[in-house]
Structure formats: structure tokens, C-alpha cells
Amino acid sequence: MKVAVYPGSFDPVTFGHLDVLSRAAQVFDRVIVGVLANPRKAPLLAVDERITILRASVHEHCASAESRIEVSAFSGLTVDFCRQNDSRFIIRGLRAISDFEAELQLGHANRELAPEIDSVFFMAALDQGYVSSSLVKEIAQFGGPIDRLVPAAAARALRVVFARHEVP
């Protein structure tokens, strides 16, 4: 059985993430979405909330592959999470050349830490190539339309968060 881990902050999950996930689920027997707390980022949404949103989004947008997709929290090194889940593959999405440069370094570091684990890259869908979680949060913060960028559960969560905070 080919198992892959798709790690990320998913703060929030975007349609770009779901596109990569659905395509990865066509290639691998099982895909584990690893929701991590990135020490370099201060998440807007709590880990439990991101997991709930991801599960609802997988149900709504990846229904045909839902039985092969799991969502789980983790902390620490991605390669350790892979080993704990008998995964030999890390899924990553690429939107632009800048993503490639960062992912190349990360892929080499992971390969050094765990030579038995390979990184597999999926290019972002053309219509989602510009979308990032950071961009979505910025648009949402100022009340802009995000429904074409994120699933409904993520849009609702962002609206709740930003309704509680006054925009500077």
C-alpha cells in the first residue's frame, strides 16, 4: 500500500490545497493530511478547528476519494510523522518558482533526515496558482470576497474570527 503524507498549516485550507489533495488521492492508496503547528507562523485558527474544516471540506469536495483520505494533527518533523504512519512519500504543492526554490531546500533536508522518504510535487491548478492561505486571510480581514478561494467551512470560520476583531 502506497501511503503519502500531505503536511501543512492549512490556516485556512484553500481550493488549491484540495486540488492537490484530490489528485494525490488518485495516485496513492492512502493520503494523510498532517495539520501542523508551524513554529514560524502564528496560526489564526486553532489546530482542532483546522482539522474540522479540513474534514468537512474533504467530505464536500473530495467525496470520491474520502475513504482514502485521513486528517490528523502532528508536531515536530514531517519525516517522523511519515515514519509513524508508514508513509514513504511527502506531498507538496507548487504554485510558482519561489515555491520550487523553498520546496527544493526542504525536500533535500527531508531526504538527508530520511533517505527512505521521497517528496512528490503537484503543480497547482492554473486557476488556483495565485492563492495562498496568507492572501485569503488578508482579503477576509478586510471583508473581501473569499468564497471562490476557500471551501464554505473555511470561509465561515474566517468571517467569525474577523467579526471579533476590528480591522485597523
Side-chain angles (χ1 to χ4, degrees):
M1 175 183 280
K2 289 186 181 172
V3 179
V5 165
Y6 183 22
S9 302
F10 304 103
D11 184 39
V13 63
T14 68
F15 285 130
H17 292 128
L18 293 174
D19 173 64
V20 168
L21 177 58
S22 66
R23 288 190 286 139
Q26 293 173 20
V27 174
F28 296 96
D29 300 310
R30 186 169 146 230
V31 179
I32 303 163
V33 180
V35 180
L36 72 142
N38 187 333
R40 292 181 293 178
K41 294 182 181 178
L44 183 64
L45 303 170
V47 171
D48 290 345
E49 190 170 14
R50 287 182 271 156
I51 288 172
T52 299
I53 291 167
L54 263 161
R55 287 180 178 152
S57 300
V58 166
H59 179 73
E60 184 176 350
H61 298 281
C62 306
S64 64
E66 186 175 10
S67 65
R68 295 187 316 280
I69 298 171
E70 298 174 28
V71 181
S72 179
F74 82 100
S75 61
L77 295 173
T78 300
V79 293
D80 290 339
F81 185 65
C82 287
R83 287 176 176 141
Q84 292 164 6
N85 288 281
D86 297 320
S87 171
R88 292 189 43 236
F89 302 96
I90 298 171
I91 301 296
R92 301 298 292 169
L94 297 174
R95 293 170 300 189
I97 294 294
S98 58
D99 284 348
F100 177 77
E101 291 171 355
E103 293 296 341
L104 179 68
Q105 291 178 347
L106 189 57
H108 284 310
N110 284 334
R111 189 75 171 168
E112 182 67 28
L113 293 169
E116 75 279 11
I117 299 172
D118 277 317
S119 295
V120 178
F121 301 94
F122 287 83
M123 292 184 346
L126 191 56
D127 63 337
Q128 294 294 317
Y130 69 96
V131 179
S132 69
S133 294
S134 298
L135 176 66
V136 169
K137 287 185 280 195
E138 186 171 343
I139 294 169
Q141 179 181 9
F142 293 101
I146 56 172
D147 297 278
R148 293 180 47 174
L149 307 175
V150 297
R156 281 191 301 274
L158 290 175
R159 287 185 186 107
V160 167
V161 167
F162 288 120
R164 286 186 254 150
H165 299 92
E166 188 173 313
V167 178

